[in-house]
């Protein structure tokens, strides 16, 4: 049995962020930190790969620069009811998750953090003031355990934690650019909300993406490929997610039978989300992600900083205060953002959200505010008031029609 101050379960962006924040921001001895992951990196990770400016800035604050192939997101287009609303804004970047996750984990490893790949969690038991962590290769004694193991969190399963809300459903695929990809060709991200008229609670997307074959290793290149997919927030069950995706692909001249679909779930962050349990802290998608967008890379990186500071403080004073981490997350900007998203998803998606979607498609101010909110920026009270007033008028217009 080995002994560590900190064991991090999961080596994705959340786990790497915790490790990097502990070492570079909180000055915790890297030799006292171990990251476990059942996979070996690089590993395949189905995902659209959008990382907002929020996450990039959080990494930059740790002197970590993204040095993997990427495509800048220079704005967005909202497609709804036959209309297209386009807004230029610096949203962040699109990366390939296998390369991005590996680079972050290797950075933490080069800082001296122990990384144990191909070693999954088997069981987790509280033993007095420490934890007994049983893995597929042995046992580790740890003062603190952080669950950063994603939507399928093994940590949650061994602790017998129930899900606080339905998981979202996604399918993703990659293709070359086609003639109608004017948005991705201009490094804009397309969000097609017309799927909501067919009962889905989400959107279809077309994002510019780096070469999925890995042959083009230029750090920044012009778009040649598109990440295409569909997101269903699953506020209520719907069996037509894949058929809706096929319809959207056919509309764009992409043959569904010619693509390889990758399904994956997402856990939403909701008011009932469990952020800590008997001293175990949940970070990133193991806690929950943005329910409106279905995204969580940047949020995981930011939340990793909060978790690291919580653990570093506990190491200094010799104890961890129950509830401290959960309160810190919920009252932080990322926590408030995620709770706002949980509220917003139920109003924008599905048939009842038609006025919201029309407003977003037709209002430049609404799209610009949405872009800023996506990037983690604070919206001024006056901006929120103007949007609420405009949306109220939109609701009246819809009712009259």
């Amino acid at each position: 049995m080995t002994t560590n101050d900190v064991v991090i379960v999961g080596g994705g962006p959340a786990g790497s962020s915790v490790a990097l924040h502990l070492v570079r921001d909180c000055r915790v001895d890297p030799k006292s930190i171990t990251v476990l992951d059942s996979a070996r990196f690089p590993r395949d990770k189905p995902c659209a790969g959008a990382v907002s400016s929020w996450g990039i800035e959080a990494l930059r604050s740790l002197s970590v620069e993204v040095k993997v192939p990427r495509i800048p997101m220079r704005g967005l287009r909202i497609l709804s009811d036959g209309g297209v609303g386009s807004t230029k804004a610096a949203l962040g970047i699109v990366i390939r998750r296998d390369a991005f996750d590996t680079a972050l984990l290797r950075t933490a490893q080069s800082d001296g953090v122990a990384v144990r790949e191909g070693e999954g969690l088997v069981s987790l038991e509280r033993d007095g003031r420490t934890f007994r962590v049983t893995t597929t290769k042995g046992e580790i004694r740890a003062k603190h355990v952080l669950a950063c193991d994603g939507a399928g969190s093994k940590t949650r399963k061994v602790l017998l934690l129930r899900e606080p809300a339905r998981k979202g459903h996604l399918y993703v695929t990659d293709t070359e650019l086609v003639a109608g990809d004017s948005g991705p060709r201009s490094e804009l991200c397309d969000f097609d909300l017309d799927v909501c008229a067919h009962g889905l609670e989400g959107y279809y997307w077309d994002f510019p993406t780096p070469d999925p074959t890995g042959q083009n290793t230029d750090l920044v290149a012009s778009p040649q490929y598109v990440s295409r997919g569909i997101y269903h927030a699953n506020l209520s069950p719907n069996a037509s997610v894949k058929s809706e995706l096929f319809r959207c692909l056919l509309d764009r001249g992409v043959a569904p039978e010619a693509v390889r679909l990758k399904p994956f779930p997402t856990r939403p962050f909701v008011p009932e989300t469990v952020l800590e349990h008997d001293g175990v802290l949940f970070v990133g998608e193991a806690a929950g992600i943005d329910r409106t967008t279905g995204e969580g890379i940047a949020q995981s990186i930011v939340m990793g900083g909060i978790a690291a500071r919580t653990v570093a403080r506990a190491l200094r004073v010799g104890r961890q205060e129950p509830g401290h981490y959960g309160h810190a997350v919920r009252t932080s900007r990322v926590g408030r953002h995620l709770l706002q998203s949980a509220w917003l998803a139920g109003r924008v998606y599905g048939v009842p959200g038609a006025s919201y979607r029309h407003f977003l498609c037709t209002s430049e101010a609404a799209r610009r505010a949405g872009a800023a909110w996506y990037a983690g920026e604070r919206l001024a009270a006056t901006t929120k008031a103007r949007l609420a007033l405009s949306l109220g008028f939109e609701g009246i217009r819809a009712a009259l029609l």
Side-chain angles (χ1 to χ4, degrees):
M1 181 183 294
T2 58
T3 301
N4 288 93
D5 283 341
V6 182
V7 167
I8 299 168
V9 184
S16 294
S17 173
V18 171
L20 289 166
H21 275 95
L22 281 170
V23 175
R24 297 192 176 193
D25 183 33
C26 304
R27 305 302 178 186
V28 173
D29 182 1
K31 295 184 178 62
S32 68
I33 305 167
T34 295
V35 177
L36 302 173
D37 201 294
S38 59
R40 293 190 178 278
F41 288 68
R43 50 91 171 99
D44 186 37
K45 176 66 176 178
C47 182
V51 186
S52 76
S53 305
W54 200 358
I56 303 304
E57 289 303 317
L59 290 175
R60 193 165 290 149
S61 71
L62 296 171
S63 300
V64 177
E65 295 291 335
V66 178
K67 295 181 179 180
V68 298
R70 59 195 182 272
I71 300 289
M73 296 187 289
R74 302 193 186 279
L76 56 85
R77 298 199 313 164
I78 301 295
L79 288 68
S80 183
D81 292 332
V84 179
S86 179
T87 293
K88 294 287 188 69
L91 299 179
I93 58 176
V94 180
I95 46 79
R96 307 299 306 180
R97 284 293 301 275
D98 53 353
F100 180 78
D101 292 9
T102 303
L104 283 186
L105 187 61
R106 296 291 176 251
T107 301
Q109 193 171 25
S110 67
D111 281 359
V113 172
V115 175
R116 294 163 66 157
E117 299 172 62
E119 186 168 354
L121 178 70
V122 174
S123 66
L124 177 62
E125 299 174 357
R126 168 73 84 170
D127 188 3
R129 298 185 66 176
T130 61
F131 294 93
R132 183 186 294 269
V133 183
T134 304
T135 76
T136 52
K137 295 185 178 181
E139 291 186 348
I140 309 173
R141 180 80 66 174
K143 294 179 182 177
H144 302 280
V145 174
L146 298 101
C148 304
D149 44 355
S153 175
K154 182 63 178 289
T155 311
R156 296 182 66 94
K157 292 173 183 175
V158 301
L159 294 176
L160 303 178
L161 290 177
R162 297 178 62 184
E163 294 292 347
R166 294 176 181 275
K167 288 182 179 177
H169 294 166
L170 297 97
Y171 289 93
V172 62
T173 190
D174 300 306
T175 76
E176 294 183 350
L177 282 165
V178 297
D181 286 327
S182 58
R185 197 181 301 276
S186 300
E187 299 178 343
L188 303 178
C189 295
D190 281 0
F191 295 86
D192 187 340
L193 302 180
D194 280 338
V195 296
C196 294
H198 298 263
L200 259 70
E201 297 153 339
Y203 58 90
Y204 167 89
W205 78 79
D206 288 316
F207 292 178
T209 191
D211 185 354
T213 69
Q215 294 180 5
N216 187 345
T217 58
D218 293 342
L219 290 185
V220 182
S222 60
Q224 300 294 323
Y225 293 88
V226 178
S227 168
R228 308 182 192 275
I230 198 163
Y231 168 58
H232 174 52
N234 204 23
L235 303 168
S236 54
N238 191 306
S240 62
V241 179
K242 187 183 289 188
S243 61
E244 273 300 297
L245 172 58
F246 288 169
R247 182 186 64 79
C248 292
L249 291 174
L250 287 169
D251 285 348
R252 287 155 177 80
V254 177
E257 64 273 12
V259 302
R260 176 176 171 238
L261 293 182
K262 299 178 182 180
F264 62 104
T266 60
R267 172 181 290 106
F269 192 101
V270 294
E272 300 80 17
T273 285
V274 175
L275 285 162
E276 52 185 298
H277 177 80
D278 197 23
V280 178
L281 307 186
F282 294 87
V283 188
E285 194 165 359
I289 63 171
D290 187 314
R291 198 172 203 177
T292 296
T293 66
E295 296 176 359
I297 302 174
Q299 293 87 339
S300 295
I301 294 168
V302 175
M303 199 184 298
I306 300 172
R309 289 188 289 274
T310 300
V311 169
R313 181 180 183 277
L315 289 171
R316 288 195 305 270
V317 303
R319 62 186 177 86
Q320 183 172 302
E321 295 181 23
H324 176 84
Y325 170 67
H327 176 76
V329 170
R330 285 187 169 86
T331 57
S332 70
R333 184 151 53 105
V334 69
R336 294 195 303 272
H337 176 101
L338 290 168
L339 290 172
Q340 290 166 3
S341 176
W343 176 88
L344 195 60
R347 285 149 183 83
V348 174
Y349 297 140
V351 176
S355 60
Y356 279 81
R357 298 192 296 274
H358 183 267
F359 178 52
L360 193 58
C361 183
T362 57
S363 169
E364 169 70 19
R367 290 193 302 277
R368 195 158 293 282
W373 180 78
Y374 171 82
E377 298 177 20
R378 291 185 177 90
L379 298 184
T382 52
T383 299
K384 294 178 182 178
R386 284 197 296 269
L387 289 174
L389 184 61
S390 299
L391 185 57
F393 284 129
E394 175 62 32
I396 294 172
R397 183 198 69 81
L400 292 175
L401 292 176

